[in-house]
């Protein structure tokens, strides 16, 4: 552990780290464009130059490893001047079109200009080099060559991370520019990450650009629910505000505009796949179920829950406890599933198809997994793969009248390619039951065949934990309000348990405490201590998977 002094303070640094990495660890700001912790070192932008005692010249902090007793200064006049000159060079041919640039408000050129440069251009605007504006690199990404500062982050992303090499630097010297080959568009499954890594407005998202100014958006840290990897992301959305929201925009009750990767080296580094990045659109792909109903007649949720509870009790007293069962969904949080297990006395299953055999299988070498459920591991940990055998077996039990009343939780957007078969099984299941409750996020025709229909909060509308394929418990936060009268599953289950005489909290942290006290592998975990990178639980025993 070499001892290094930065701006007069002595720190212990891990051996092999560079000055910029140590500075990041201790919270000392060093400007940078080309350096990115998950793409590697380029050393070309010259923004991170620092003064090192006894070194004759300024050194790039991104490419200089710390050594014993190194004395570094990031705040001297020499350093400030070097950064100012680097900025002047980078802005020489920049169009300075901030008012019409979609990156405005989160552009590193703007930030560093205000912090370190503040100079007037010595180059007349009319003589600046003109380059191609806003053309497609692929379905998700647009490039404005005039704004590019040639940091090569995008080039190195496609070279080192996806290994697809679509983006290249073409030409030499002053004529250098970023681009793609004509017959090779940027259409790899992770293409949106180049927008995240581009520090300026050169690469913008075709999905997000000009939809909202970033300073009107609120960022909520959460976890992607698109597959069992559970990548960390930030949801950018309008905040629910009485009479507030974005001037000129209609959504005032919370609308998601985009998601961006959030760094967690244990799970996804800084990356998201495009499918996961855009998966928030599935919330609006079909009409949302906004109100509860009983046989087609709308009712408040609070009025229906006592009736639903009374019906389950009546079936139990007439036909025994086994006549009531539930179908859960591995898209629900651990808290919702745990309370569901309590209410249905262990008579539930969550398996729709092949998710259990697929949940650890990778779809590619980077992040994506075949299992499109975020919480299959959690459902297994909670013991939801019991003797009921999944959807098909439950359907058989209903047809044999061994199960008569059932709760069916369903997240339609995540069943993937098996959806038509699953919907067919669900229809047959509902038809075979004496009475049924479907609790779902979207308004599907087939769900109206159930006696009771309850709207359920979807991903980004509820708070709770998912356990990813590797057994990492992570917190997904609520970013926007649920549609209509929808409630998170754990709230609905807490109310049913309360009706049955069991006092249950609705706070996810309190429910998680209960989980930690009962579920093997979760002992000792504390909701408040899970933190931004999650906490590991023990692997699922092999016999549970069989
Ligand atoms: S397009 Fe963006 S990420 Fe790529 S080199 Fe230019 S500034 Fe860097
Ligand atoms: S790999 Fe899975 S969890 Fe990660 S962003 Fe894609 S869909 Fe979401």
């Amino acid at each position: 552990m070499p001892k290094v002094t930065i701006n007069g303070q002595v720190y212990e640094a891990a051996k092999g780290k560079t000055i910029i990495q140590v500075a990041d660890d201790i919270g000392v700001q060093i400007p940078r464009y080309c350096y990115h912790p998950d793409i590697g070192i380029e050393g070309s932008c010259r923004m991170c130059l620092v003064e090192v005692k006894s070194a004759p010249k300024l050194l790039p902090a991104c490419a200089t490893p710390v050594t014993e007793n190194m004395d570094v200064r990031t705040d001297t006049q020499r350093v400030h001047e070097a950064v100012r000159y680097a900025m002047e060079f980078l802005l020489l041919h920049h169009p300075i079109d901030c008012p019409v640039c979609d990156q405005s408000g989160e552009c590193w050129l703007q930030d560093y200009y205000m912090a370190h440069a503040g100079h007037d251009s010595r180059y007349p605007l009319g003589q600046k080099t003109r380059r191609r504006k806003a053309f497609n690199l692929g379905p998700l990404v647009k490039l404005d060559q005039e704004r590019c500062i040639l940091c090569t982050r995008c080039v190195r992303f496609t070279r080192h991370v996806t290994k697809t090499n679509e983006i290249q630097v073409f030409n030499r010297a002053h004529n250098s520019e970023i681009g793609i080959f004509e017959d090779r568009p940027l259409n790899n499954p992770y293409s949106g990450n180049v927008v995240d890594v581009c520090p300026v407005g050169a690469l913008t998202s075709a999905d997000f650009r000009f939809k909202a100014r970033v300073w009107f958006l609120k960022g909520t840290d959460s976890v992607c629910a698109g597959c069992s990897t559970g990548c960390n992301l930030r949801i950018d959305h309008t905040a629910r505000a009485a009479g507030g929201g974005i001037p000129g925009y209609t959504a005032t009750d919370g609308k998601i505009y985009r998601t961006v990767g959030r760094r967690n080296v244990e799970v996804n580094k800084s990356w998201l796949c495009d499918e996961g990045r855009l998966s928030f659109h599935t919330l609006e792909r079909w009409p949302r179920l906004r109100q509860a109903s009983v046989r087609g007649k709308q009712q408040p949720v609070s009025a229906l829950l006592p009736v639903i509870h009374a019906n389950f009790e009546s079936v139990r007293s007439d036909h025994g406890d086994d006549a009531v069962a539930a179908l859960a969904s591995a898209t629900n949080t651990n808290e919702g599933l745990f309370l569901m297990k309590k209410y249905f006395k262990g008579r539930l299953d969550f398996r729709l198809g092949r998710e259990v055999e697929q949940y650890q299988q990778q779809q590619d070498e980077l992040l994506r997994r075949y299992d499109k459920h975020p919480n299959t591991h959690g459902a297994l940990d909670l013991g939801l793969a019991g003797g009921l055998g999944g959807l098909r077996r439950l359907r058989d039990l209903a047809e044999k009248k061994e199960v008569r009343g059932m709760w069916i939780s369903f997240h339609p957007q995540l069943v993937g390619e098996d959806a038509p078969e699953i919907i067919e099984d669900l229809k047959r299941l509902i038809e075979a039951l004496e009475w049924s409750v479907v609790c779902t996020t979207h308004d599907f025709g087939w769900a109206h065949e159930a006696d009771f229909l309850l709207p359920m909060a979807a991903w980004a509308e509820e708070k709770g934990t998912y356990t990813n394929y590797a057994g990492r418990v992570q917190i997904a936060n609520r970013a926007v309000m649920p549609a209509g009268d929808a409630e998170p599953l754990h709230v609905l289950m807490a109310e049913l348990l309360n009706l049955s005489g069991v006092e249950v909290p609705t706070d996810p942290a309190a429910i998680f405490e209960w989980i930690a006290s009962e579920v093997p592998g979760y002992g000792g975990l504390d909701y408040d201590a899970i933190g931004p990178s999650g906490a590991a639980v023990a692997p699922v025993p092999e016999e549970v998977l069989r």
Side-chain angles (χ1 to χ4, degrees):
M1 300 280 274
K3 281 202 172 51
V4 53
T5 305
I6 299 183
N7 297 340
Q9 291 271 341
V10 180
Y11 303 96
E12 279 196 342
K15 207 169 171 209
K17 284 204 168 185
T18 60
I19 296 171
I20 209 166
Q21 288 169 335
V22 176
D24 283 352
D25 290 348
I26 60 179
V28 171
Q29 302 268 336
I30 296 179
R32 82 286 304 266
Y33 289 120
C34 65
Y35 171 74
H36 186 287
D38 298 317
I39 308 176
I41 294 159
E42 176 83 350
S44 64
C45 74
R46 314 315 277 177
M47 285 290 288
C48 68
L49 292 175
V50 293
E51 211 169 311
V52 176
K53 199 171 178 183
S54 77
K57 293 202 284 189
L58 298 180
L59 297 177
C62 67
T64 310
V66 291
T67 53
E68 184 66 37
N69 295 325
M70 188 181 245
D71 190 349
V72 180
R73 293 227 67 111
T74 69
D75 55 357
T76 64
Q77 188 59 26
R78 229 175 128 206
V79 171
H80 285 309
E81 271 187 11
V83 175
R84 198 178 79 75
Y85 290 141
M87 284 294 298
E88 184 171 8
F89 174 70
L90 292 171
L91 288 169
L92 208 59
H93 288 280
H94 190 278
I96 321 286
D97 56 350
C98 305
V100 294
C101 177
D102 203 46
Q103 188 85 0
S104 201
E106 56 180 358
C107 173
W108 296 25
L109 270 178
Q110 286 182 327
D111 293 348
Y112 290 151
Y113 176 83
M114 299 309 289
H116 301 280
H119 60 278
D120 289 335
S121 176
R122 287 184 262 173
Y123 206 77
L125 201 58
Q127 290 178 22
K128 292 196 177 198
T129 303
R130 315 307 303 179
R131 296 187 199 275
R132 278 183 83 188
K133 307 284 285 179
F135 61 99
N136 291 331
L137 291 189
L140 192 55
V141 181
K142 281 186 184 285
L143 169 63
D144 182 317
Q145 284 178 331
E146 284 185 355
R147 296 180 188 151
C148 173
I149 56 169
L150 284 168
C151 71
T152 71
R153 282 182 174 198
C154 56
V155 178
R156 285 175 286 138
F157 176 81
T158 61
R159 184 181 302 157
H160 302 309
V161 182
T162 57
K163 301 187 172 63
T164 45
N165 292 302
E166 295 101 332
I167 305 182
Q168 303 287 341
V169 181
F170 291 83
N171 304 325
R172 301 184 65 184
H174 174 66
N175 293 320
S176 299
E177 58 191 23
I178 291 296
I180 51 168
F181 297 105
E182 266 179 26
D183 59 347
R184 198 129 179 244
L186 176 68
N187 59 4
N188 73 66
Y190 295 88
S191 67
N193 291 295
V194 297
V195 176
D196 288 357
V197 299
C198 181
V200 300
L203 296 177
T204 49
S205 158
D207 184 64
F208 173 68
R209 57 191 260 122
F210 304 124
K211 296 264 173 66
R213 280 302 199 183
V214 293
W215 52 85
F216 289 126
L217 299 180
K218 183 177 183 307
T220 298
D221 288 350
S222 194
V223 173
C224 177
C227 80
S228 60
T229 300
C231 294
N232 292 212
L233 48 70
R234 189 189 74 221
I235 305 169
D236 284 353
H237 55 94
T238 47
R240 186 185 181 108
I246 301 180
Y249 294 70
T250 50
T252 54
D253 59 349
K255 175 176 163 57
I256 298 174
Y257 280 85
R258 68 171 178 185
T259 60
V260 293
R262 182 166 62 88
R263 191 161 191 252
N264 183 346
V265 285
E266 303 291 343
V267 180
N268 55 305
K269 294 195 175 167
S270 302
W271 318 128
L272 298 176
C273 75
D274 292 348
E275 195 183 340
R277 179 183 298 275
L278 301 178
S279 63
F280 70 91
H281 286 301
T282 59
L283 294 182
E284 294 167 357
R285 184 171 296 161
W286 308 287
R288 292 296 303 273
L289 183 62
R290 296 176 174 274
Q291 283 188 306
S293 61
V294 51
R295 289 175 203 96
K297 199 162 157 247
Q298 286 186 353
Q299 296 271 340
V301 174
S302 54
L304 273 195
L305 286 175
V307 184
I308 289 170
H309 174 65
N311 276 14
F312 279 131
E313 288 298 287
S314 153
V315 174
R316 278 175 175 145
S317 79
D318 291 350
H319 303 283
D321 281 355
D322 285 359
V324 167
L327 183 69
S329 166
T331 54
N332 283 127
T333 61
N334 285 319
E335 292 69 25
L337 296 178
F338 181 74
L339 294 192
M340 199 168 174
K341 187 178 178 191
K342 291 279 170 204
Y343 183 74
F344 289 99
K345 304 177 183 176
R347 294 274 303 158
L348 78 173
D349 206 311
F350 73 97
R351 291 167 288 181
L352 294 174
R354 294 174 293 156
E355 61 272 61
V356 173
E357 70 190 62
Q358 290 183 340
Y359 87 110
Q360 283 186 317
Q361 277 179 28
Q362 280 196 288
Q363 195 171 335
D364 59 33
E365 287 178 2
L366 205 50
L367 294 170
R368 297 183 302 159
R369 287 183 186 265
Y370 284 110
D371 175 20
K372 299 299 173 198
H373 299 84
N375 202 23
T376 301
H377 197 301
L380 291 167
D381 291 342
L382 295 169
L384 265 55
L388 288 176
L391 171 59
R392 289 260 161 91
R393 173 103 202 291
L394 280 165
R395 190 199 66 196
D396 292 344
L397 290 174
E399 283 170 351
K400 286 188 217 149
K401 299 293 170 213
E402 288 177 37
V403 168
R404 290 164 185 265
M406 216 174 136
W407 174 291
I408 298 163
S409 297
F410 184 65
H411 272 256
Q413 70 268 40
L414 294 168
V415 293
E417 62 197 31
D418 302 325
E421 282 169 36
I422 290 168
I423 303 289
E424 205 44 50
D425 281 332
L426 285 167
K427 281 198 222 163
R428 278 181 60 185
L429 172 63
I430 292 168
E431 206 179 296
L433 288 164
E434 273 174 25
W435 77 276
S436 55
V437 183
V438 170
C439 180
T440 187
T441 51
H442 291 75
D443 193 358
F444 281 96
W446 62 266
H448 287 266
E449 299 300 315
D451 300 281
F452 295 79
L453 200 51
L454 285 176
M456 177 163 61
W459 170 83
E461 298 173 349
E462 62 176 340
K463 183 172 178 174
T465 59
Y466 301 130
T467 309
N468 83 347
Y469 77 94
R472 179 161 291 271
V473 181
Q474 305 189 97
I475 296 177
N477 280 307
R478 169 186 276 188
V480 293
M481 300 305 285
D485 291 346
E487 293 278 5
L489 181 71
H490 71 265
V491 172
L492 296 170
M493 286 299 143
E495 285 178 23
L496 285 175
L497 281 162
N498 288 339
L499 287 166
S500 64
V502 184
E503 283 271 314
V504 176
T506 51
D507 173 26
I511 301 167
F512 190 82
E513 202 178 309
W514 195 4
I515 294 174
S517 70
E518 286 193 11
V519 178
Y522 287 64
L525 289 184
D526 178 354
Y527 193 89
D528 295 326
I530 287 174
S533 43
V537 295
V540 179
E542 274 297 311
E543 61 269 20
V544 176
L545 299 175
R546 266 183 242 126

